[in-house]
Amino acid sequence: MSTESRSLVVDRPGCHRLVLGPRPEPGPGEARVRVAAAGICMSDRELHDGHRDAAYVRYPVVPGHEWAGTVEAVGAGVDAGLVGRRTVAEGFRACGRCERCRHGETSLCTAGYDETGFTRPGAFADHVVVPARLLHPLADDADLRAAALLEPAAVTAAAVRAGAPEPGERVAVLGAGTLGLLAVQLLAAFSPAELTVIDPRRERASLALDFGASEALVPEEAEEVRGRYDLVVETAGAPSTAADACLLARRGGRVVLTGMFTPGAMGIDPVHLSLSQLTVRSVFGAPSAAWSYAVRAFTAGLLDPAPLITHEFPLERFADAVALVGAGGPETGKVLLRP
């Protein structure tokens, strides 16, 4: 086993380098994982370009918060039986002691923001070291390429749990990116009467039909179905989609906002919100329970992220890979790095 390990370091916005150094060793309570695949999302593009809020990144940093791999070594106090297990891991380094953590809301930890790939070394590397308590072991035959998408799947699981879908309801998903298409798979398991996906890219909206949606619309067509849906899950984070999601919900309906909005996004009309008596929830990241939900769905075959993967690159081609994210055409889905 090599004692060296490569990692992709972003020293500052727009400046990255591939570093060869000593293989990281797990400390007490930690595990070292050999990375099989790591996904790149818009948050990674923002980190690289310098557009991520300074409170949510610490340079220099090894990015990579969406990943899967195999446990290679464990530190003191960790079950040695984990070695050789395929696994994913939660990204938030929640304290586990504050009131929100004790309530099970680990993504709302009040100890301060700390996340693998943003403030701690991530998985754009041969190896990543994480607290063993954050691991979610997978089946022995799990597809690690697909499992690299269990981080965004956990976010959509948090949204589905917040939306509390029931069989026979009318459901809409706003956005047909990675989060939207994963949400379609999870929501389809509840046997909705209708499952409509709305995206301005008609090719992406139509792709949702292969994932369990019953209807695919572009925003202009969606104006005709405003006020129709029991549950609306927003995943796009576009300037108008929070407001649009509330207009799609029926009176007394439920809206879950999952997309990452930027300053200047259109606000929700408080008059409409009040008169329609909507329930609106938001999701940022995923608590431990949502991770468990996503892993169970993946293991049971209810969630298959593999068809979302369209591009794979070695670490050496990180520049090509990150350029595709957020700039590719409708044919660009999830982009992976394969150390």
Side-chain angles (χ1 to χ4, degrees), residues 7-279:
S7 57
L8 193 290
V9 179
V10 178
D11 289 302
R12 58 185 183 278
C15 180
H16 69 270
R17 56 197 170 96
L18 189 60
V19 176
L20 179 65
R23 182 185 62 199
E25 295 300 329
E30 295 182 329
R32 181 179 72 234
V33 180
R34 173 76 190 192
V35 179
I40 306 178
C41 82
M42 274 303 297
S43 296
D44 299 308
R45 174 73 185 262
E46 291 166 359
L47 179 156
H48 178 264
D49 293 349
H51 298 151
R52 187 168 173 84
D53 189 313
Y56 295 93
V57 64
R58 188 182 302 147
Y59 298 103
V61 65
V62 178
H65 62 287
E66 304 178 4
W67 58 270
T70 302
V71 179
E72 199 173 75
V74 297
V78 179
D79 180 7
L82 286 171
V83 174
R85 290 294 304 274
R86 300 185 182 201
T87 193
V88 292
E90 299 175 36
F92 285 148
R93 306 289 185 97
C95 73
R97 298 182 297 274
C98 71
E99 182 182 7
R100 289 300 90 205
C101 283
R102 300 285 288 183
H103 197 66
E105 298 173 337
T106 52
S107 58
L108 294 175
C109 177
T110 58
Y113 173 74
D114 195 10
E115 184 175 6
T116 301
F118 296 106
T119 63
R120 302 291 185 105
F124 290 176
D126 290 325
H127 303 90
V128 61
V129 172
V130 297
R133 62 185 172 84
L134 300 180
L135 296 177
H136 287 263
L138 305 172
D140 292 341
D141 60 350
D143 177 356
L144 292 178
R145 290 174 61 257
L149 276 69
L150 283 175
E151 192 278 340
V155 175
T156 59
V160 170
R161 285 167 52 85
E166 296 182 4
E169 288 193 314
R170 294 186 295 267
V171 180
V173 175
L174 203 48
T178 297
L179 290 180
L181 294 177
L182 291 171
V184 167
Q185 291 193 34
L186 292 177
L187 289 164
F190 288 89
S191 300
E194 299 175 19
L195 182 49
T196 302
V197 174
I198 302 163
D199 194 291
R201 303 162 296 179
R202 191 173 291 277
E203 299 91 339
R204 295 292 297 183
S206 297
L207 183 61
L209 299 176
D210 297 330
F211 287 82
S214 58
E215 185 178 32
L217 304 175
V218 295
E220 295 76 19
E221 296 168 334
E223 293 182 8
E224 298 179 5
V225 291
R226 286 181 174 177
R228 179 173 181 79
Y229 298 98
D230 301 291
L231 170 63
V232 181
V233 178
E234 185 282 329
T235 67
S240 68
T241 49
D244 292 340
C246 291
L247 293 175
L248 287 165
R250 64 160 170 83
R251 289 171 62 83
R254 308 175 319 274
V255 176
V256 183
L257 305 178
T258 310
M260 291 300 295
F261 298 95
T262 57
M266 186 183 303
I268 297 170
D269 180 357
V271 175
H272 174 75
L273 184 66
S274 178
L275 294 179
S276 296
Q277 299 183 54
L278 300 180
T279 298

